[in-house]
Amino acid sequence: MSHPDPTTTPGPQRDIAYRLERLTELCRELGSNRDIPLLLERILLTAKDIAQADGGTLYRIDDSARSLQFYISVNDTLAMHQGGSSGTPISIPDIALTLPDGQPNLAAVAAYAANTGKSVNIADVYQASGFNFNGMRLFDEKYGYHSKSILTVPMQDHEGELVGVLQLINAIDAATGEAVPFSETDQHFIEALASQAAMAMTNQQLIQRLEHLFESLIRLINIGIGEKSPHTGRHCEQVPQLAMMLAEAAHEATEGPLADFRMTEADRRELWLAGLLHDCGKISTPTHIVEKSTKMETIFDRIHLVDTRFEVLKRDAEIAVLQEKLALGAALTPAQAAELDARLLAQLARLEEERNFLRKINVGTEGMQPEDQQRVLEIAARQWRGPDGQLRALLDEEEAGNLRIRAGTLNDAERQIINNHIVITIKMLESLPWPKQLARVTEFAGGHHERVDGKGYPKGLTREQMSVQARIMAVADIFEAVTAADRPYKRGNSLNEAVEILAGFKARNHIDPDLFDLFVRERIYEKYAAKFMHPSQIDEVDLSRIPGHEP
């Protein structure tokens, strides 16, 4: 099959300066606009305007199907606008780039341009040979249209990769209104436009893929954290959601101390990524500390070792009584036997009560009173005989120290290890070459354990030294933690309890009071609860118990 070379028949001449201006405008938009569907439509409409075409079609590449997909089609005479922003779907079938035998399709003009990388400029399709124009003729018959001139240009980027195909129909003579061939100047301008558009689209797609890859890598880190600690993985997913809810409420505020806070889309993405990464340092935290569900737990819960020691004490008490009875022999009176039995029962009851006490405080769900901490020391001083026959304290210093933890399950050393995750987080994030639009991710993510009174960690920042976003992260981190029902060391608080706890953080100058007030006023807690909390946790929030707020 032979194919015509692109013609250079003179056509309508638009003012060159006008064409250059339109091309320059499009290039500026290509560089700043990241909405690819909108850009594709702008590309076609600009090309149609520059060449004074009556209609045009833009095809995109479907690599999986090796075909050209109709993306948008417009025609002034027919008042037609399909695809793109029109909302009207294109019913025209795709154009195959290869034939059933695997050979390239060179019969369809658009497929020819795509396969060869060459433009096709035909003065009159009804007079041309070498291409199959049956589809175009059927279109003309259906709509009462007359296709004449056609200019088809492949959209290739700087590496020769095909991005799409641009096809214009019927160049219109401004003086007569008649369809005339596209000129050589038309072709050069459209080829320049197609080339710039292809490169811009490739760059935009590359940016989107890199951003997607980057966010996927972030999620990969969170998957690793989640495999170590499922509740921490969920925490890393839910904190950014809550942070965005609160940030959007601040963005929409029109009065009060947050009225000037505004976010662009870039700001939103920056905060979102900070939320996803805020606990990435926990990937280095030992699992047995992150998941420590009781005070005595390390790799396993050592309370069971203490249970065994109590069993030894009980056994020894029983043996001691039996030995006394044997020593008395026939002289043992019923009264003496009863006294020994009663003493043994009292001793066993006391041991069982002490064991139950240690079991209870080992859980760590309630704060310990000073008298309970002192009682641990008294129990620890008990003597028991170990496997080597030597007497030793019932609890060693480290065990007694863990059981005397005032609140929670972590001792001071373990809490320091946990707290160090934020230092690791900052260190990890500071090692990344952040682009300008994401330069504050480290500050946002690294500030969620700071306090507005300057007593937080790791830097001891005050409210004035923290961005609004960092303060938002602190609120989100706390509220997710107190409502989480999957922590091995605590139960999930009810919604009302969680709001009261957060109010306590405000009262103690831990969190930003303005953000707390917004959180309550806009009922962010309800939006979060509906999405993430178990229905059994969701109760009525009593705002009358929160200073400064009315039901």
Side-chain angles (χ1 to χ4, degrees), residues 196-401:
Q196 290 295 318
M199 287 190 287
M201 287 174 56
T202 298
N203 289 338
Q204 296 289 12
Q205 290 171 341
L206 177 61
I207 291 171
Q208 289 182 357
R209 289 168 185 161
L210 287 174
E211 289 180 346
H212 179 69
L213 174 62
F214 179 63
E215 191 159 331
S216 297
L217 287 172
I218 291 172
R219 294 189 183 280
L220 185 65
I221 293 173
N222 287 344
I223 288 172
I225 294 172
E227 287 299 310
K228 288 181 61 177
S229 170
H231 78 265
T232 305
R234 280 186 287 273
H235 174 78
C236 292
E237 292 292 329
Q238 292 173 195
V239 164
Q241 299 266 7
L242 179 54
M244 295 310 299
M245 292 178 188
L246 183 53
E248 289 297 342
H251 172 79
E252 293 169 6
T254 57
E255 56 185 16
L258 293 165
D260 294 332
F261 177 77
R262 292 293 179 269
M263 295 186 297
T264 64
E265 286 306 309
D267 294 333
R268 288 179 172 88
R269 177 167 177 77
E270 192 174 33
L271 179 59
W272 172 255
L273 292 177
L276 288 175
L277 286 164
H278 82 284
D279 268 351
C280 65
K282 283 187 177 176
I283 199 168
S284 67
T285 307
T287 303
H288 70 275
I289 294 179
V290 175
E291 294 294 299
K292 190 180 181 188
S293 59
T294 66
K295 296 178 181 181
M296 290 288 284
E297 185 175 359
T298 51
I299 304 302
F300 65 97
D301 192 348
R302 293 172 296 161
I303 196 68
H304 303 304
L305 296 179
V306 177
D307 283 342
T308 302
R309 296 168 198 169
F310 272 102
E311 290 300 321
V312 171
L313 287 174
K314 289 181 179 181
R315 179 205 63 188
D316 289 350
E318 291 173 344
I319 291 173
V321 168
L322 289 174
Q323 287 176 335
E324 284 191 54
K325 288 182 178 180
L326 286 172
L328 290 172
L332 178 67
T333 65
Q336 289 175 317
E339 182 182 352
L340 288 171
D341 290 341
R343 190 180 71 191
L344 174 62
L345 288 175
Q347 190 173 0
L348 294 177
R350 185 166 61 254
L351 289 172
E352 184 65 20
E353 193 277 332
E354 288 177 351
R355 180 166 70 170
N356 289 335
F357 168 72
L358 295 184
R359 283 175 173 173
K360 179 182 178 182
I361 64 170
N362 182 48
V363 177
T365 55
E366 299 177 5
M368 284 193 76
Q369 300 299 319
E371 55 268 28
D372 288 336
Q373 292 176 313
Q374 178 59 36
R375 189 180 182 194
V376 171
L377 292 176
E378 294 168 358
I379 295 173
R382 276 189 176 279
Q383 297 280 299
W384 76 291
R385 194 172 300 280
D388 58 359
Q390 299 297 314
L391 288 174
R392 63 191 66 184
L394 182 65
L395 302 173
D396 63 29
E397 186 176 346
E398 190 271 337
E399 292 168 338

Side-chain angles (χ1 to χ4, degrees), residues 501-537:
I501 290 171
L502 200 64
F505 278 93
K506 171 196 172 181
R508 295 189 297 275
N509 290 320
H510 283 212
I511 61 173
D512 188 312
D514 298 330
L515 287 171
F516 173 80
D517 292 344
L518 181 70
F519 184 84
V520 173
R521 185 170 63 252
E522 297 300 322
R523 297 181 179 270
I524 307 298
Y525 54 86
E526 289 183 350
K527 300 173 186 176
Y528 178 80
K531 192 170 183 179
F532 293 111
M533 291 178 65
H534 192 275
S536 63
Q537 293 177 264

Side-chain angles (χ1 to χ4, degrees), residues 427-463:
K427 186 176 181 180
M428 289 172 65
L429 297 183
E430 285 181 342
S431 71
L432 295 175
W434 295 101
K436 182 179 179 180
Q437 64 270 26
L438 298 176
R440 299 178 295 172
V441 166
T442 302
E443 190 255 321
F444 296 168
H448 69 277
H449 283 300
E450 300 290 352
R451 289 170 38 171
V452 296
D453 61 3
K455 297 179 181 179
Y457 62 92
K459 297 181 179 180
L461 302 178
T462 63
R463 183 178 186 272

